[in-house]
Amino acid sequence: MMITDTALIFEGGGMRASYTAGALVTLMEESFGFQDVYGISAGSSHTVNYISGDIRRSKISFVDFMGTPGTSGWGGWLRGKGYFNAEYIYQRAAGPGQKLEYNMQAFLANPARPHIEAFERDTGRTVYWGKEDMPTTLDLMTRVRASSTMPIFMPPVTIGGQVYYDGGIGDSWGIPLAQAKRDGFRKFFIVCTQKRGYRKAKSAHPAAIRFLFGAHPIIAQRMLDRYEGYNAVLEEIADLERRGDAYVFYPENMAVKNTTVDLPLLEASYAEGYAQAQRELPAWQEFLNVCHGGGDDA
């Protein structure tokens, strides 16, 4: 049975998603069947992996795969491919027979609905994509890549003549709670990539950001404003949690950064996240009012 009264929300966070991949895998192993899944940036990868039901891919996307030569590094950034070689990671590696082959048939067959956000560079508009926008693996992964395109670290993505950056600088500020609320949800299961109590600091280098994005002041301003928007969303989530309307998975520890590519650190991060998720599993079941093994009591 589908969980229809609660939105599943995945925060972005780059390689911090190695930790929350442990929570994602636990959700899948226990057959928690959410009808609506929202993701931004790294959370968009979690979203589409969840809907495809591919437990193996859900882990290796943010752990084992990063040991593959050519996936990351400043050398690639200097060559214009980005610190993360996004074209390879999201598009080529997802193809048939590749290291991150994506099960598009399972994605399309699952009645669950993905909601992915990205930021349109030249208009300042936040764009929302659903399954109807992603009928092929290339369509899907291009949009996941767009949602995950961290400014400075990765080159932007062009889709239909528009240029896109990371959804984390869009209207939801990295945690797509706002769209889930607009869709009518009043109950939320939120997977965060920062520890409880974390708040983002104001940029220490505003002049550098304005210089780097001098041709695109909208991007610069969104990056500078992000700390306020993001912290406001965290306050709203805390209020929802106090009222009993949200369950929030906060990492107990976070030893990696959004750009960490050290494989042993990523493996340890995943193991910690998975262990925490296993400990929290009874509380998940209580919040969602489901029995062991998933589904709901409707």
Side-chain angles (χ1 to χ4, degrees), residues 133-154:
D133 302 303
M134 305 178 286
T136 70
T137 303
L138 182 59
D139 291 325
L140 174 68
M141 288 302 164
T142 302
R143 284 160 177 78
V144 171
R145 176 186 171 188
S147 180
S148 306
T149 298
M150 293 188 289
I152 300 174
F153 290 99
M154 299 158 77

Side-chain angles (χ1 to χ4, degrees), residues 11 16 19-20 191-196 248-255 273 276 280:
E11 180 182 4
R16 291 195 300 272
Y19 195 104
T20 53
V191 180
C192 287
T193 57
Q194 295 282 13
K195 295 168 65 176
R196 182 182 293 276
V248 189
F249 178 88
Y250 285 112
E252 294 172 351
N253 181 46
M254 184 48 67
Q276 180 183 337
E280 292 189 16

Side-chain angles (χ1 to χ4, degrees), residues 1 27-33 281 285 290-296:
M1 296 290 290
L27 286 168
M28 296 166 74
E29 287 177 340
E30 299 298 324
S31 300
F32 287 94
L281 183 55
Q285 293 163 345
V290 300
C291 300
H292 184 79
D296 61 25

Side-chain angles (χ1 to χ4, degrees), residues 43-121:
S44 66
S45 288
H46 280 351
T47 295
V48 301
N49 285 336
Y50 173 86
I51 292 178
S52 75
D54 192 334
I55 290 175
R56 174 183 172 276
R57 192 181 197 276
S58 296
K59 174 182 181 278
I60 69 172
S61 292
F62 290 97
V63 184
D64 312 63
F65 184 66
M66 298 315 297
T68 303
T71 56
S72 62
W74 290 113
W77 185 82
L78 290 171
R79 292 191 298 272
K81 293 184 177 180
Y83 181 82
F84 294 104
N85 186 352
E87 189 273 335
Y88 171 66
I89 292 170
Y90 292 101
Q91 292 165 272
R92 284 190 283 141
Q98 300 301 308
K99 290 190 175 183
L100 282 181
E101 180 176 357
Y102 189 74
N103 190 338
M104 192 66 185
Q105 185 175 0
F107 172 83
L108 293 173
N110 189 337
R113 298 184 293 231
H115 306 262
I116 294 173
E117 299 183 23
F119 186 77
E120 208 167 75
R121 184 191 67 185

